[in-house]
Amino acid sequence: MGEQQFYDFVKEQIKEYIGEEDVTSRIETIYKNNNQSFQVLIIRRRQEAISPIIYLKEFYEKYESGEKIEDILCEIAMVFKEAREEVDGKDISVLAFEQWKDKLFFRLINMELNDTLWEMTPFIPWHDLALTVRLLVHESDGGISSILVTKKELEMWGVTWEEVVALAKENTKRLFPAKIMKILNDKPIYLLTNESELNGATAICYPKVLEDLGKSLQTSFYVLPSSIHEMLLLPDDGQQDIGKLRNLIKNANNTVVREEEILSYQLYYWEKSTGRMKIVKKDSEF
């Protein structure tokens, strides 16, 4: 059975393993960060406003490795039931906006690598990156579930983009407090993320985060986008090889960072005298 045949088979058979009559199932392609596409299974009871999304690639890989299809279907059914408990009773409709407005937050992503989003999604430009707004649906030790706020959600809620942005500004630093750690004892290299260490690169946009670090270090510093989850901060001692720093970013993105977690190929510089961050244009020019 090929990959698409596997997905279609799961869609047709999963209802029997869930053991409920009042459910529908369908396969959709969804796009995550950096235009990465994934085949997902959506199972929904007719009265539910939202439902879990189950990524199918890992289950197909189990099938290819020899796991029985019956066991895989049982596992998918179990994953669905556990995930449904997390979202059960949650409603993101217009009637529920007041109860959800404190869960709006910013996420920083690459502008060019997400170019398919911008016709349907408002955003705030930030150098070569963009701040989007998301709605936090569920949070646990295993991660978070959120949805992208598009023009459709704004229309459904009857609110403006400016209102959503104002809420996200207040919520993001509360929901995901910034965290800075020194990662090497013998060298002054720092890692900027948030307390959950998920999508922590967004903390670079928090008010006064860089300013406070600059005051503490008493110097300007280079900012290397490690991934969507963190930034590396390297104090400027006048000895850094900018070409090597650029290559470090490029090599990490091309060999270590998962494609959907790449943030940027640019090298940035926070200048203490101006309190501003810039893209390093050339080896000796800002």
Side-chain angles (χ1 to χ4, degrees), residues 74-92:
C74 286
E75 185 177 354
I76 292 174
M78 182 181 66
V79 169
F80 165 72
K81 290 177 181 179
E82 290 176 351
R84 189 171 63 184
E85 290 180 3
E86 298 176 357
V87 301
D88 191 33
K90 292 184 171 72
D91 181 8
I92 60 168

Side-chain angles (χ1 to χ4, degrees), residues 97 100-106 133-136 147 149 157 159 163-165 167-172 174-176:
F97 179 72
W100 283 107
K101 65 182 183 181
D102 291 338
K103 298 293 187 179
L104 294 165
F105 68 96
F106 285 130
V133 175
R134 301 188 69 91
L135 179 66
L136 180 62
I147 63 169
V149 175
W157 292 333
V159 297
E163 289 174 301
V164 165
V165 165
L167 289 165
K169 280 183 179 179
E170 293 300 317
N171 296 339
T172 307
R174 171 180 54 81
L175 293 169
F176 305 104

